[in-house]
Amino acid sequence: MLEIQNKMKFINSYFLFPLLALVLVVFALSNQMFGAFPLGKLMQPFVGAVQNSNNERLNATRFTISGQDLSDSVTIFFDERKVPHIYAKNTQDLYYAQGYVTAYLRLWQMDFLSYVAAGRLSEVFDKEDFLEIDRNQKRLGIEEAAKKSLTMMEKDPETNQVLTAYTRGVNAYIGELNYKTMPFEYKMLDYSPEPWTKLKSALILKNMANALSGYGEDLFMSKIFLALGKEKFGQLYPEFHSHMSPMMSATAVGPPQNAWPAHNPGYLTYSFLSANSLVAKSAYNPKLGSNSWAVSGKKTKSGFPILASDPHLGLSLPAIWVEMQLSAPGMNVYGVSLPGTPAVIIGFNEKIAWGITNGADDVKDWYRLKISDDYKKYELDGQWIDLKFRVEQIKRRGHAPFLDTVYSTVHGPVVNDKKFNGSNADLVNCALKWELHQPSNEFLAFIKLNKAGNYPEFENAIRNYRCPVQNFTFIAKDNTIAVDHQGSVAVKWYGQGKFILDGTQRKHIYTKYIKDDSLPKVHNPVSNYVLSANQHPTSPSFPYYYNGYFSETRANRIHQLLQQGNSFDIADMEAMQLDNVNFFAELVMPLLLQHTDQARLTANQRQLLAGISTWKGAYDVGDQQALLYELWWKQVRDYTWDELAQYSFFMRPPEDYVLLDLIKQEPNSQYFDKIGTSKKESAIDIITQAFVVATREYTKYRKEGIKSWADFNKVNVMHMTNIPAFSKMDLASAGNPEALNAISAEWGPSWRMVVELGDRPKAYGIYPGGQSGNIGSPNYDNFVGDWQKGKYYPLHLFLNQQEAEQNTNSTWTLKK
């Protein structure tokens, strides 16, 4: 999605909907992007853009919609924040209504995402730039994976019934539309919604899986291993380090035990890799993660368990999530759903609550192939095998369709070939083995999870979840707490998948997976809390090898806070989600101060050093030290790893914890010796010089008016077309990617939720957006300001229809 957005930054005008004069200005400036759109139709006051400010139906006290394909009537109550509470007499009608109301709120968003996933953007935009994006999506095999999974889903009666009902509901709403009522983006881009399909729902789920597993560094790891050698690579890029809070252990952070041996992939040589020395930068963010933790009643004021969950994703408008309650016989659940997919993804019912974080396992592996010049054969175990292919037709607006040949092997698709280098020529003729390509039925996991009432039912539900690997945090009314590392985790030999694999050897292709009952999980630990924040799921003593993109700092902070308390309540959990402390900064600051030679500083620099010496690592709105620390640590990192940055393929430095240990244990290490100087620098030299440079930058920022962290840390919640006019931009914010309040410029907590189970659930939450996808609606972005300020809304899980009616002021009735 980031790559798409980068290609769509064409409009800079601000837009106050629905002032027609300004609409004309904006669209006059938009010709570069949209070409000849129907400006005349767009201007018409009775059907054009101005009609998209009409919020009449959403504000109606009573509204009846007849002629629906239902077995019985369905009632939908909208609360004060326009959250729909859907009451149906059977689950088939319930999911029909969910599809209908989701389409009403978010049709263009969900439809557009299906185009993104399937590689169909060229059908919407008359620009050649999008052809490359579409080709890459087709070659990654996301649509093919969705089709295979849909075949599997349709064989399960319950899943197929849910998807069929949801699809009928979406299409019922689409069938009511005309140009006047069509979402604004269709008018702006001059195309119309097509009928919804079950495949589109599957595509949206695969698109999210792609976002959560798209990062990869196999090529970089291969090249840096060859450049450094076994010993140095093991020192700088270790699988485990001593600063960890593994998911399976709620004990204090300690050194790894039973560590694996150093990597030694004998097949990996310079001749094995291609001659190209560059490694393309990934558009994916490996820090896209999340926080989730749970405490049992033994650590709460009420005696009931509490769960907190906040998934960190790209911030966008319309928002990633849509909030709702789904109620039918045997089911009453509240939470957030992905527009375009049925069920609640993260939420709670009267008996359980659950949160989800990215497992961060590497589920994508690349295999270097030997392919014949005519692309008809590839070599495997000394034999030449037929290279399979399919022809993808990419329809293009204003152009003839483009036919693209996509090759595949037993490993997976050949994403880049001699006719399509994509963004990484070094992966030409490499096949991608990705768990996303395996048929799976994640929908069934959530359908069952919504109805679960205890831990066995929870486990039975999530066993249907396969890719990407996720951590499911759980609490139950009976005071059970747990976290399960769930998904398809391959059984690999040590190092398999960390580096580019040899596609000519069948032994490099793994075929077995860790059994579900052997996957990492924690159930009712003696600590009375569990946590998940994209850290290592296990210690090194775990008997299976795995690798991934694990992050320890937020987990260490959660562990620190949960270990300190024994009487938590909902307010405490909210405060933790909004915590701005960088645990690593707290850890490293004493070392930085200790290794700074004050004799080399000016009086002003010593004054700044005295100021930062009292800093506690918090990125609060008004904090004046956080920026200086960020500038200082960046310089320390850059100076230390300057010899690595010289490599043309350099992608990322070693983890900060490695550098921390180097300062502490080897202050005279060769890595502190700067390139290009006659003196042999030590940690003291590097840290002191870094501080001098940082203070200069810091002083410059202050002269420019940036005096607090919030002046520097600006957040953009962008419309999916990346048009600033439809976005919320330059929001001054607390937080930092390494803090629990993990906010950065374009991603952060996409849904904050805290739930306490008891006689009835008490829950609070918020997301950065609004319920409506209509840019003319006051409900389009009305949560953003409160989200920015760290406020929470009560989440109303009404226990019955009568209670819902008494506590809402807007009711829809869907009738046969």
Side-chain angles (χ1 to χ4, degrees):
M1 197 61 203
L2 180 62
E3 185 177 0
I4 296 168
Q5 290 174 342
N6 286 339
K7 293 179 181 294
M8 299 180 70
K9 295 179 179 176
F10 301 118
I11 301 179
N12 295 311
S13 302
Y14 283 88
F15 180 85
L16 299 176
F17 195 92
L19 298 179
L20 188 58
L22 195 52
V23 168
L24 295 177
V25 173
V26 170
F27 286 117
L29 294 175
S30 303
N31 283 331
Q32 183 183 4
M33 176 176 176
F34 304 120
F37 59 87
L39 185 59
K41 290 171 68 179
L42 204 62
M43 290 174 56
Q44 293 179 16
F46 299 108
V47 296
V50 71
Q51 288 298 322
N52 291 101
S53 64
N54 189 335
N55 222 34
E56 181 179 348
R57 183 189 284 199
L58 199 56
N59 290 329
T61 303
R62 297 280 177 183
F63 194 85
T64 300
I65 307 160
S66 301
Q68 302 299 309
D69 185 15
L70 296 165
S71 62
D72 209 328
S73 61
V74 176
T75 308
I76 306 172
F77 303 96
F78 288 88
D79 64 22
E80 70 279 3
R81 294 187 296 109
K82 307 306 179 187
V83 174
H85 302 258
I86 306 174
Y87 284 82
K89 297 178 180 65
N90 59 74
T91 54
Q92 193 167 345
D93 287 347
L94 176 70
Y95 289 112
Y96 176 100
Q98 185 187 14
Y100 183 94
V101 77
T102 304
Y104 171 80
L105 292 169
R106 302 288 188 87
L107 177 61
W108 178 79
Q109 174 193 14
M110 52 198 262
D111 193 26
F112 185 71
L113 283 174
S114 76
Y115 277 73
V116 171
R120 298 179 58 196
L121 289 176
S122 296
E123 297 179 35
V124 178
F125 301 105
D126 183 12
K127 286 188 67 67
E128 286 295 320
D129 290 343
F130 292 98
L131 177 60
E132 183 178 338
I133 298 172
D134 288 344
R135 290 183 73 184
N136 191 66
Q137 290 293 94
K138 297 286 190 185
R139 287 163 169 261
L140 282 173
I142 296 175
E143 185 177 29
E144 283 295 297
K147 289 177 179 177
K148 290 179 182 177
S149 290
L150 180 60
T151 299
M152 178 180 181
M153 294 169 187
E154 289 179 325
K155 291 178 181 177
D156 177 73
E158 184 174 16
T159 307
N160 190 47
Q161 184 183 64
V162 168
L163 281 173
T164 300
Y166 186 91
T167 299
R168 287 192 293 105
V170 174
N171 284 326
Y173 177 72
I174 293 174
E176 297 174 4
L177 291 175
N178 52 39
Y179 189 81
K180 174 182 176 180
T181 56
M182 193 181 297
F184 173 78
E185 288 88 349
Y186 286 115
K187 301 176 185 179
M188 178 179 72
L189 300 173
D190 191 24
Y191 76 114
S192 301
E194 61 188 9
W196 193 257
T197 64
K198 289 182 282 187
L199 177 61
K200 283 179 174 281
S201 292
L203 279 165
I204 288 175
L205 211 54
K206 294 295 183 184
N207 187 64
M208 178 59 79
N210 179 38
L212 294 173
S213 63
Y215 184 74
E217 52 184 30
D218 306 42
L219 183 58
F220 167 68
M221 282 295 167
S222 301
K223 295 201 169 192
I224 199 71
F225 176 85
L226 290 175
L228 294 176
K230 179 175 67 174
E231 299 303 327
K232 288 182 179 179
F233 178 85
Q235 180 189 15
L236 300 187
Y237 293 93
E239 293 285 357
F240 296 89
H241 55 73
S242 61
H243 305 276
M244 293 169 46
S245 293
M247 188 193 82
M248 284 185 71
S249 172
T251 57
V253 177
Q257 298 177 349
N258 300 332
W260 294 89
H263 285 292
N264 190 22
Y267 70 92
L268 195 60
T269 64
Y270 282 106
S271 61
F272 173 75
L273 298 178
S274 69
N276 185 38
S277 61
L278 297 177
V279 174
K281 289 190 178 297
S282 174
Y284 295 96
N285 188 341
K287 289 186 178 294
L288 281 181
S290 306
N291 302 322
S292 190
W293 63 86
V295 293
S296 79
K298 294 179 181 179
K299 287 181 72 74
T300 66
K301 290 179 181 177
S302 66
F304 296 118
I306 302 177
L307 177 139
S309 178
D310 57 299
H312 306 155
L313 295 167
L315 304 177
S316 66
L317 289 172
I320 291 172
W321 305 105
V322 61
E323 201 175 332
M324 62 182 60
Q325 177 181 352
L326 305 176
S327 186
M331 173 179 169
N332 189 26
V333 63
Y334 188 108
V336 286
S337 172
L338 287 171
T341 67
V344 164
I345 304 297
I346 297 175
F348 60 99
N349 58 37
E350 295 171 49
K351 295 181 180 179
I352 72 166
W354 70 95
I356 305 175
T357 68
N358 195 356
D361 299 69
D362 180 9
V363 295
K364 294 172 65 177
D365 294 313
W366 292 91
Y367 290 77
R368 182 160 298 286
L369 305 172
K370 186 179 290 185
I371 299 178
S372 62
D373 290 339
D374 59 5
Y375 275 80
K376 291 184 178 180
K377 303 278 186 179
Y378 69 100
E379 185 181 346
L380 187 63
D381 285 348
Q383 295 185 342
W384 288 92
I385 299 174
D386 289 341
L387 189 63
K388 294 182 179 180
F389 71 92
R390 68 177 188 274
V391 177
E392 292 279 3
Q393 183 186 69
I394 301 175
K395 297 178 181 177
R396 296 187 293 167
R397 186 167 190 165
H399 302 274
F402 183 88
L403 300 180
D404 195 23
T405 302
V406 182
Y407 299 98
S408 63
T409 68
V410 294
H411 317 78
V414 181
V415 180
N416 306 115
D417 57 38
K418 63 183 180 182
K419 291 186 178 180
F420 182 74
N421 288 347
S423 60
N424 203 332
D426 223 343
L427 288 176
V428 167
N429 290 352
C430 286
L432 173 62
K433 183 174 175 59
W434 189 3
E435 291 309 317
L436 178 139
H437 293 147
Q438 303 303 314
S440 58
N441 185 2
E442 281 76 19
F443 283 125
L444 187 58
F446 296 111
I447 293 166
K448 288 180 174 293
L449 190 52
N450 288 190
K451 299 183 289 186
N454 53 45
Y455 185 59
E457 291 176 355
F458 160 81
E459 282 211 309
N460 179 58
I462 66 171
R463 290 297 171 260
N464 296 284
Y465 192 94
R466 305 318 309 173
C467 182
V469 181
Q470 299 286 279
N471 299 314
F472 287 79
T473 311
F474 170 86
I475 63 172
K477 191 175 179 178
D478 64 6
N479 247 325
T480 298
I481 63 171
V483 58
D484 285 44
H485 192 68
Q486 178 60 38
S488 294
V489 182
V491 176
K492 299 181 176 181
W493 38 259
Y494 181 65
Q496 189 176 12
K498 191 177 187 73
F499 310 103
I500 299 287
L501 290 163
D502 187 351
T504 68
Q505 300 185 55
R506 192 177 292 274
K507 68 180 182 180
H508 279 225
I509 306 173
Y510 47 84
T511 57
K512 296 180 180 180
Y513 294 84
I514 302 174
K515 294 181 179 179
D516 284 336
D517 57 7
S518 296
L519 289 171
K521 64 179 177 180
V522 185
H523 178 228
N524 288 338
V526 294
S527 64
N528 294 308
Y529 65 83
V530 296
L531 63 97
S532 168
N534 321 116
Q535 78 274 39
H536 276 83
T538 73
S539 71
S541 61
F542 188 64
Y544 297 98
Y545 172 77
Y546 61 90
N547 70 294
Y549 318 105
F550 306 109
S551 178
E552 303 294 335
T553 297
R554 285 178 288 106
N556 287 340
R557 178 61 173 167
I558 297 169
H559 167 77
Q560 181 185 53
L561 294 174
L562 292 180
Q563 191 179 44
Q564 291 172 354
N566 280 304
S567 187
F568 292 105
D569 59 17
I570 286 176
D572 294 326
M573 298 294 103
E574 292 176 350
M576 278 184 64
Q577 287 187 332
L578 299 170
D579 180 76
N580 296 316
V581 172
N582 179 341
F583 179 90
F584 176 82
E586 270 193 311
L587 208 60
V588 80
M589 271 302 301
L591 281 175
L592 294 180
L593 295 169
Q594 177 187 338
H595 287 78
T596 301
D597 184 355
Q598 296 196 38
R600 305 185 202 178
L601 305 181
T602 66
N604 180 59
Q605 289 165 350
R606 284 195 293 272
Q607 185 178 356
L608 290 172
L609 187 68
I612 200 172
S613 68
T614 63
W615 185 58
K616 300 301 181 184
Y619 293 73
D620 297 330
V621 168
D623 187 89
Q624 298 187 20
Q625 305 300 333
L627 178 57
L628 179 55
Y629 164 78
E630 285 288 307
L631 297 170
W632 189 6
W633 183 247
K634 180 182 183 302
Q635 289 298 136
V636 172
R637 188 193 293 122
D638 290 349
Y639 284 162
T640 304
W641 306 124
D642 56 346
E643 57 267 73
L644 301 185
Q646 284 192 119
Y647 295 121
S648 58
F649 56 80
F650 184 69
M651 185 173 175
R652 70 165 178 88
E655 284 191 62
D656 285 347
Y657 285 105
V658 172
L659 180 48
L660 181 149
D661 285 342
L662 208 60
I663 295 170
K664 184 187 297 185
Q665 300 166 10
E666 300 181 54
N668 295 310
S669 167
Q670 62 175 325
Y671 297 108
F672 293 122
D673 187 18
K674 288 179 63 180
I675 293 175
T677 64
S678 57
K679 177 183 177 181
K680 185 180 185 306
E681 287 87 0
S682 66
I684 289 178
D685 298 316
I686 290 299
I687 291 168
T688 303
Q689 291 176 29
F691 186 74
V692 170
V693 173
T695 56
R696 292 172 186 162
E697 293 183 53
Y698 181 70
T699 301
K700 181 182 177 181
Y701 274 120
R702 290 182 69 83
K703 287 180 179 179
E704 293 172 353
I706 297 175
K707 297 184 177 180
S708 69
W709 179 246
D711 293 333
F712 179 81
N713 192 41
K714 297 297 180 69
V715 177
N716 298 319
V717 187
M718 298 298 297
H719 186 268
M720 289 169 61
T721 59
N722 227 34
I723 299 175
F726 308 152
S727 310
K728 299 286 284 188
M729 301 184 66
D730 295 324
L731 304 174
S733 178
N736 178 270
E738 298 293 353
L740 299 190
N741 189 22
I743 293 179
S744 65
E746 295 176 338
W747 61 274
S750 63
W751 164 242
R752 295 186 181 118
M753 181 186 79
V754 177
V755 182
E756 180 181 78
L757 296 178
D759 297 330
R760 67 177 297 162
K762 295 178 182 177
Y764 297 84
I766 193 169
Y767 65 82
Q771 284 290 94
S772 177
N774 177 5
I775 63 172
S777 169
N779 304 108
Y780 170 67
D781 59 8
N782 57 317
F783 302 162
V784 175
D786 286 341
W787 173 86
Q788 179 192 7
K789 296 171 186 174
K791 294 184 178 180
Y792 287 76
Y793 301 133
L795 310 181
H796 306 301
L797 178 69
F798 298 123
L799 301 187
N800 53 59
Q801 185 166 331
Q802 182 180 9
E803 185 176 282
E805 189 167 14
Q806 291 172 349
N807 289 279
T808 56
N809 54 19
S810 179
T811 305
W812 289 7
T813 302
L814 304 184
K815 283 189 168 186
K816 294 174 63 176

